[in-house]
Amino acid sequence: MDSLIVATPSKTEALERRYGAGALKEWQGPPASPWNETIALMLDHRSVRSYRPDPLPPGTLETLIAAAQSAATSSNMQWVSAVAITDPAKKKVLAEIAGNQKHIEQCPLYICWVADMSRNQRISDAEKTDFECMPWLESFMVACVDASLAAQNAVVAAESLGLGTVYIGAMRNDPIKVAELLGLPPQSFVVFGLCVGYADGKAKSEVKPRLPQSIVLHKERYDATKEAAIRATYDAEMSKFSARHELQAATWTQRVLNRLGPIKSMNGRETIRASLKKLGFELK
Amino acid sequence: MDSLIVATPSKTEALERRYGAGALKEWQGPPASPWNETIALMLDHRSVRSYRPDPLPPGTLETLIAAAQSAATSSNMQWVSAVAITDPAKKKVLAEIAGNQKHIEQCPLYICWVADMSRNQRISDAEKTDFECMPWLESFMVACVDASLAAQNAVVAAESLGLGTVYIGAMRNDPIKVAELLGLPPQSFVVFGLCVGYADGKAKSEVKPRLPQSIVLHKERYDATKEAAIRATYDAEMSKFSARHELQAATWTQRVLNRLGPIKSMNGRETIRASLKKLGFELK
């Protein structure tokens, strides 16, 4: 971790940033809960949407992919591929698909994470054996999980090297156009993209508080009885965060209402089932 | 990382274990590719299916959940919950659902990772606002991704503390029974479980080689032209691994044929769409 630019925060600082100074009262862990540099690194995660143009050290991409491939994969099927994009023209098109997210153009490395069942389909073709387990929602879901576990390892690796990242779900605004641009075979699909690069120090970036652990972690059995009251403490915390960052929706509750209420906030992604069918996923 | 029991391997050792000594010739990264302890930790991942009964240090669960909540989450919707199971009777039932995976009973902590849209549905109900974005495959997929990113952070945190883990996808053998056992509300669903505990040192555990990076990582555009030949080198590597561990299927290709060919290897999971509908997911 010697290449980390920012010193890792102490445990109390890290928990305060992650749950908010006010909401830390909700923290249920004992003071002696275990802690180390790797955990401090993960708690310090923030999404980076402004990058310096500086190139990455040689071999960074390969190291990130080695970390990604080291994540668990269901039955070792390895239903994940990565397409690394550095070509400015390609990044420009991808940024447009994503609703003009300029950080896709800014970052020196953009990785498209592919739920990739095509590699196994090629084995079916080569061995002239019908794969009865392919056309199901279950298998597609496993491929998406595989891709997610892999990508998250890459994120932790990147952050351990002092790099910033942000996931780009908006690749799903137009999965067919993305697949065409990347030359993807049938039965493969970009679940999300990932910007990787050095954060622009001038741009503000702050750890975003999350819901109090007491309504996310359940013991033995799911229990939502105290949820509304605890959510109110998070709303108060997020109001302070929103004020600091001039965000429109003040509370988390208001943000959820805005994001999930009107269909237009899906940016067309409600059509993804039809797009996936065109890409070769039956999803039975 | 002072609590790691096993010394982290060197970069060359780590890459040899991950890609196989033979397949390391395929490694495309330059010798000077970046490296640190966190990356070494991730490359050293192996799934642990045999646990000592030793309890975890106080606060371990809460630390793992703090790491999990620190992962990125789409639009900060936080569509993830965790149900921690330590009750032996509950673990026994879950082990049975998973096809008698004894490590679920052995491990001191079993975490069920929930794709949880119910928390946001409760906001819709409380605020008397219809959430038009809920009933779509897209939103369900995002919840599964959110749960996966969170769980993977917990895995890295656990391993950084010297603990072993293994994901249990077989919770999806009977998602409805799992939901009933955990008291899950509609629109929530256990994507997978996770065993956490100290690996039984007597049980053999070895890093499993993955596909050569050259057919997983694509640059600018997907390219499968050399795949068949490179897959043959991986088959050779996995044959050696299989021989060391007395596994039935020798090559990866044979394992893929066994796993994806006959529908019976899905253990009934081809019915998951119907189960998800019963759990409140429309998946339009």
Coordinates of all heavy atoms in Angstrom, one line a residue, chain B residues 90-128:
Chain B
K90 N -30.8 -23.6 12.2 CA -31.0 -22.9 10.9 C -29.9 -23.3 9.9 O -30.2 -23.5 8.7 CB -31.0 -21.4 11.1 CG -32.3 -20.7 11.5 CD -32.4 -19.3 10.9 CE -33.8 -18.8 11.1 NZ -34.0 -18.2 12.5
K91 N -28.7 -23.4 10.4 CA -27.6 -23.7 9.4 C -27.8 -25.1 8.9 O -27.5 -25.4 7.7 CB -26.2 -23.6 10.1 CG -25.8 -22.1 10.3 CD -24.3 -22.0 10.6 CE -23.9 -22.6 11.9 NZ -22.5 -22.6 12.1
K92 N -28.3 -26.0 9.7 CA -28.6 -27.4 9.3 C -29.6 -27.4 8.1 O -29.4 -28.1 7.1 CB -29.1 -28.2 10.5 CG -29.2 -29.7 10.2 CD -29.4 -30.4 11.6 CE -29.3 -31.9 11.4 NZ -30.4 -32.5 10.6
V93 N -30.7 -26.6 8.3 CA -31.7 -26.6 7.2 C -31.1 -26.0 5.9 O -31.3 -26.5 4.8 CB -32.9 -25.8 7.7 CG1 -33.9 -25.6 6.6 CG2 -33.6 -26.4 8.9
L94 N -30.3 -25.0 6.1 CA -29.7 -24.3 4.9 C -28.7 -25.3 4.3 O -28.6 -25.3 3.0 CB -29.0 -23.0 5.3 CG -30.0 -21.9 5.8 CD1 -29.2 -20.8 6.4 CD2 -30.8 -21.4 4.6
A95 N -28.0 -26.1 5.0 CA -27.1 -27.0 4.5 C -27.8 -28.1 3.7 O -27.4 -28.5 2.6 CB -26.2 -27.7 5.6
E96 N -29.0 -28.5 4.2 CA -29.8 -29.5 3.5 C -30.3 -28.9 2.2 O -30.2 -29.6 1.1 CB -31.0 -29.9 4.3 CG -30.5 -30.9 5.4 CD -31.6 -31.0 6.6 OE1 -32.7 -30.5 6.4 OE2 -31.3 -31.7 7.6
I97 N -30.8 -27.7 2.2 CA -31.3 -27.0 0.9 C -30.1 -27.0 -0.1 O -30.3 -27.2 -1.3 CB -31.7 -25.6 1.2 CG1 -33.0 -25.6 2.0 CG2 -31.9 -24.8 -0.1 CD1 -33.5 -24.3 2.6
A98 N -28.9 -26.8 0.4 CA -27.7 -26.7 -0.5 C -27.2 -28.1 -0.9 O -26.1 -28.1 -1.4 CB -26.7 -25.9 0.2
G99 N -28.0 -29.1 -0.7 CA -27.5 -30.4 -1.1 C -26.5 -31.0 -0.1 O -25.5 -31.6 -0.5
N100 N -26.7 -30.8 1.2 CA -25.9 -31.3 2.3 C -24.4 -30.8 2.2 O -23.5 -31.7 2.2 CB -26.0 -32.8 2.3 CG -27.3 -33.3 2.7 OD1 -27.9 -32.8 3.7 ND2 -27.9 -34.2 1.9
Q101 N -24.3 -29.6 2.1 CA -22.9 -29.0 2.1 C -22.6 -28.8 3.6 O -23.0 -27.8 4.2 CB -22.9 -27.7 1.3 CG -23.1 -27.9 -0.2 CD -22.7 -26.7 -1.1 OE1 -21.7 -26.1 -0.9 NE2 -23.6 -26.4 -2.1
K102 N -21.8 -29.7 4.1 CA -21.5 -29.8 5.6 C -20.8 -28.5 6.1 O -20.9 -28.2 7.3 CB -20.7 -31.0 5.9 CG -21.5 -32.3 5.8 CD -22.6 -32.4 6.8 CE -23.5 -33.6 6.6 NZ -24.8 -33.5 7.4
H103 N -20.0 -27.8 5.2 CA -19.3 -26.7 5.7 C -20.2 -25.5 6.1 O -19.8 -24.7 6.9 CB -18.3 -26.1 4.6 CG -18.8 -26.4 3.2 ND1 -18.7 -27.6 2.5 CD2 -19.4 -25.5 2.3 CE1 -19.2 -27.4 1.3 NE2 -19.7 -26.2 1.2
I104 N -21.5 -25.6 5.6 CA -22.5 -24.6 6.1 C -22.7 -24.8 7.6 O -22.9 -23.8 8.4 CB -23.8 -24.6 5.3 CG1 -23.5 -24.3 3.8 CG2 -24.8 -23.7 5.9 CD1 -24.7 -24.4 2.9
E105 N -22.8 -26.0 8.0 CA -23.0 -26.3 9.4 C -21.7 -26.1 10.2 O -21.7 -25.7 11.4 CB -23.4 -27.8 9.6 CG -24.8 -28.1 9.1 CD -25.2 -29.5 9.4 OE1 -25.4 -29.9 10.5 OE2 -25.4 -30.3 8.4
Q106 N -20.5 -26.4 9.6 CA -19.3 -26.3 10.3 C -18.9 -24.8 10.6 O -18.3 -24.6 11.7 CB -18.1 -26.8 9.4 CG -17.8 -28.3 9.6 CD -16.7 -28.7 8.6 OE1 -16.2 -27.9 7.9 NE2 -16.3 -29.9 8.7
C107 N -19.1 -24.0 9.7 CA -18.5 -22.6 9.8 C -19.2 -21.9 11.0 O -20.4 -22.0 11.2 CB -18.6 -21.8 8.5 SG -20.3 -21.4 8.0
P108 N -18.5 -21.0 11.7 CA -19.1 -20.3 12.8 C -20.1 -19.2 12.4 O -21.0 -18.8 13.1 CB -17.9 -19.7 13.6 CG -16.8 -19.7 12.6 CD -17.0 -20.8 11.7
L109 N -19.9 -18.7 11.2 CA -20.7 -17.6 10.7 C -21.1 -17.9 9.2 O -20.3 -18.1 8.4 CB -20.0 -16.3 10.8 CG -20.6 -15.1 10.1 CD1 -22.0 -14.7 10.8 CD2 -19.7 -13.9 10.1
Y110 N -22.4 -17.8 9.0 CA -23.0 -18.0 7.6 C -23.8 -16.8 7.3 O -24.7 -16.4 8.0 CB -23.8 -19.3 7.6 CG -24.3 -19.6 6.1 CD1 -23.4 -20.1 5.2 CD2 -25.6 -19.5 5.8 CE1 -23.8 -20.4 3.9 CE2 -26.0 -19.8 4.5 CZ -25.1 -20.2 3.6 OH -25.5 -20.5 2.3
I111 N -23.4 -16.1 6.2 CA -24.1 -14.8 5.9 C -24.9 -15.1 4.6 O -24.3 -15.5 3.6 CB -23.1 -13.7 5.6 CG1 -22.1 -13.5 6.8 CG2 -23.8 -12.4 5.3 CD1 -21.0 -12.4 6.6
C112 N -26.2 -14.8 4.7 CA -27.0 -14.8 3.5 C -27.1 -13.4 2.9 O -27.5 -12.5 3.6 CB -28.4 -15.3 3.8 SG -28.5 -17.1 4.3
W113 N -26.7 -13.3 1.6 CA -26.7 -12.0 1.0 C -28.0 -11.8 0.2 O -28.3 -12.6 -0.7 CB -25.4 -11.9 0.1 CG -24.2 -11.9 0.9 CD1 -23.4 -13.0 1.2 CD2 -23.6 -10.8 1.6 NE1 -22.4 -12.6 2.0 CE2 -22.5 -11.3 2.3 CE3 -23.9 -9.4 1.6 CZ2 -21.6 -10.4 3.0 CZ3 -23.1 -8.6 2.4 CH2 -22.0 -9.1 3.1
V114 N -28.7 -10.7 0.5 CA -30.0 -10.5 0.0 C -30.1 -9.4 -1.0 O -29.6 -8.3 -0.7 CB -31.0 -10.2 1.2 CG1 -32.4 -10.1 0.7 CG2 -30.9 -11.2 2.3
A115 N -30.5 -9.7 -2.2 CA -30.9 -8.7 -3.2 C -32.2 -8.1 -2.7 O -33.2 -8.8 -2.7 CB -31.0 -9.2 -4.6
D116 N -32.2 -6.9 -2.1 CA -33.3 -6.5 -1.3 C -33.9 -5.2 -1.8 O -33.4 -4.1 -1.6 CB -32.7 -6.2 0.1 CG -33.9 -5.9 1.1 OD1 -35.0 -5.9 0.7 OD2 -33.6 -5.7 2.3
M117 N -35.0 -5.4 -2.6 CA -35.8 -4.2 -3.1 C -36.9 -3.9 -2.1 O -37.6 -2.9 -2.3 CB -36.3 -4.5 -4.5 CG -35.1 -4.8 -5.5 SD -35.6 -5.3 -7.1 CE -36.4 -3.8 -7.7
S118 N -37.0 -4.7 -1.1 CA -38.2 -4.5 -0.2 C -38.1 -3.2 0.6 O -39.1 -2.6 0.9 CB -38.3 -5.7 0.8 OG -37.4 -5.6 1.8
R119 N -36.8 -2.8 1.0 CA -36.6 -1.6 1.8 C -37.1 -0.4 1.0 O -37.8 0.5 1.6 CB -35.2 -1.5 2.1 CG -34.9 -0.4 3.1 CD -33.5 -0.5 3.8 NE -32.5 -0.9 2.8 CZ -31.7 -2.0 3.0 NH1 -31.7 -2.6 4.1 NH2 -30.8 -2.3 2.1
N120 N -36.8 -0.4 -0.3 CA -37.3 0.7 -1.1 C -38.8 0.6 -1.4 O -39.5 1.6 -1.4 CB -36.5 0.8 -2.4 CG -35.1 1.3 -2.2 OD1 -34.8 1.7 -1.0 ND2 -34.2 1.2 -3.1
Q121 N -39.3 -0.6 -1.4 CA -40.8 -0.8 -1.6 C -41.5 -0.2 -0.4 O -42.6 0.4 -0.5 CB -41.1 -2.3 -1.8 CG -42.6 -2.5 -2.0 CD -43.1 -1.8 -3.3 OE1 -42.5 -1.9 -4.3 NE2 -44.2 -1.1 -3.1
R122 N -40.9 -0.4 0.8 CA -41.6 0.2 2.0 C -41.6 1.7 2.0 O -42.5 2.3 2.5 CB -40.8 -0.3 3.3 CG -41.1 -1.8 3.6 CD -40.6 -2.3 4.9 NE -39.1 -2.4 5.0 CZ -38.4 -3.5 4.5 NH1 -39.1 -4.5 3.9 NH2 -37.1 -3.6 4.6
I123 N -40.6 2.3 1.3 CA -40.7 3.8 1.1 C -41.8 4.1 0.2 O -42.6 5.1 0.5 CB -39.3 4.3 0.6 CG1 -38.2 4.1 1.6 CG2 -39.4 5.8 0.2 CD1 -36.8 4.5 1.2
S124 N -42.0 3.4 -0.9 CA -43.1 3.6 -1.8 C -44.4 3.5 -1.0 O -45.3 4.4 -1.2 CB -43.0 2.5 -2.9 OG -44.2 2.5 -3.7
D125 N -44.6 2.5 -0.2 CA -45.8 2.3 0.6 C -46.0 3.5 1.5 O -47.1 4.1 1.6 CB -45.8 1.0 1.4 CG -45.7 -0.2 0.4 OD1 -45.9 -0.1 -0.8 OD2 -45.3 -1.3 0.9
A126 N -45.0 3.8 2.3 CA -45.1 4.9 3.3 C -45.4 6.2 2.7 O -46.2 7.0 3.3 CB -43.8 5.0 4.1
E127 N -44.8 6.5 1.5 CA -45.0 7.8 0.9 C -46.1 7.8 -0.1 O -46.4 8.8 -0.8 CB -43.7 8.2 0.2 CG -42.5 8.3 1.1 CD -42.4 9.5 2.0 OE1 -43.0 10.5 1.6 OE2 -41.8 9.5 3.1
K128 N -46.8 6.7 -0.2 CA -48.0 6.5 -1.1 C -47.6 7.0 -2.5 O -48.4 7.8 -3.1 CB -49.2 7.3 -0.5 CG -49.7 6.7 0.8 CD -50.9 7.4 1.3 CE -51.5 6.7 2.6 NZ -50.5 6.5 3.6

